[in-house]
Amino acid sequence: MNSLIGVLAVQGDVREHARSLESLGAATRLVRRPEELDGLDGIVLPGGESTTMDKLLRAFDLRDPLRERLQAGLPAYGSCAGMILLADHVLDATADQQTLGGLDVTVRRNAFGRQVDSFEEDLSMPAVMGERTDPVRAVFIRAPWVESVGPDVQVLGTVTTGPAAGRIVAVQQNNLLATSFHPEVTGDHRIHEYFLRMAQR
């Protein structure tokens, strides 16, 4: 049976994530209301603007129900702003910014700079690459990075070149997966494929 994956649809790259998931055979549901969380095998928190997404989660009465589902084990994948939403700690956050939490990491908002500083890089991600040997193409757009990780967090990818060399940009802890970058814009679906395997466990 195909997995049913929700895509948080309050703001951000919603349709791009849905298309990536559907290309892999998953059914998708756009999530804007608490009842749309029912029956999901997993949920994607897309890139966008993390402070806006936080405010909209509260405005749509989604924050607490979604947080409870994540704590109960619902698999979630956060991309860029979605990584910030899943992080327990955020540097350079606005005064009233809240997160869903669950990932024992500290992330820095807009760590890679402004939109003009956006860039692409090939990442070696053995856990994600599977039998393929070609690297994962990563697109960073005003992206966060992970400053530190807790003992139960698995690092899946780091930047290897340039001024950000060594920075952590992909992590997993139990049912939660997060990347600083936007795999939905590259046509390389291996991150989504990896997440679907998490959702089927």
Side-chain angles (χ1 to χ4, degrees):
M1 182 175 163
N2 291 352
S3 297
L4 175 59
I5 306 297
V7 181
L8 182 65
V10 296
Q11 197 232 8
D13 297 345
V14 175
R15 300 204 179 280
E16 292 88 344
H17 278 286
R19 278 197 292 269
S20 294
L21 292 161
E22 289 163 3
S23 75
L24 296 168
T28 61
R29 175 193 295 160
L30 303 188
V31 175
R32 295 186 186 90
R33 296 190 295 272
E35 59 268 25
E36 290 167 339
L37 295 168
D38 294 342
L40 295 180
D41 298 305
I43 188 166
V44 171
L45 313 179
E49 211 293 307
S50 61
T51 54
T52 301
M53 292 172 76
D54 166 43
K55 289 172 184 169
L56 291 172
L57 277 170
R58 288 184 266 172
F60 285 98
D61 293 322
L62 262 172
R63 183 180 177 277
D64 289 342
L66 179 52
R67 190 174 190 174
E68 289 166 9
R69 299 295 175 101
L70 299 180
Q71 289 172 344
L74 179 70
Y77 165 48
S79 163
C80 197
M83 170 186 267
I84 295 169
L85 287 175
L86 290 175
D88 283 345
H89 308 285
V90 181
L91 302 176
D92 299 329
T94 60
D96 63 340
Q97 186 170 359
Q98 299 177 26
T99 69
L100 297 164
L103 267 179
D104 185 13
V105 299
T106 298
V107 300
R108 185 177 294 280
R109 286 180 71 235
N110 300 340
F112 286 101
R114 299 165 298 152
Q115 197 124 350
V116 70
D117 300 316
S118 300
F119 70 101
E120 298 184 25
E121 175 163 332
D122 290 332
L123 301 179
S124 176
M125 303 179 67
V128 171
M129 287 158 41
E131 295 180 4
R132 289 173 56 178
T133 57
D134 54 313
V136 174
R137 189 70 173 165
V139 176
F140 297 87
I141 305 169
R142 293 182 61 205
W145 65 44
V146 178
E147 291 265 338
S148 62
V149 300
D152 297 325
V153 176
Q154 180 184 4
V155 174
L156 299 178
T158 57
V159 174
T160 57
T161 61
R167 293 295 183 181
I168 299 168
V169 292
V171 291
Q172 181 183 350
Q173 183 178 3
N174 300 321
N175 58 308
L176 304 179
L177 172 70
T179 65
S180 301
F181 53 89
H182 291 263
E184 73 281 5
V185 301
T186 65
D188 185 339
H189 300 310
R190 283 177 288 177
I191 297 286
H192 292 89
E193 196 170 10
Y194 183 86
F195 177 61
L196 286 177
R197 291 198 298 272
M198 288 173 55
Q200 289 164 353
R201 284 176 197 154

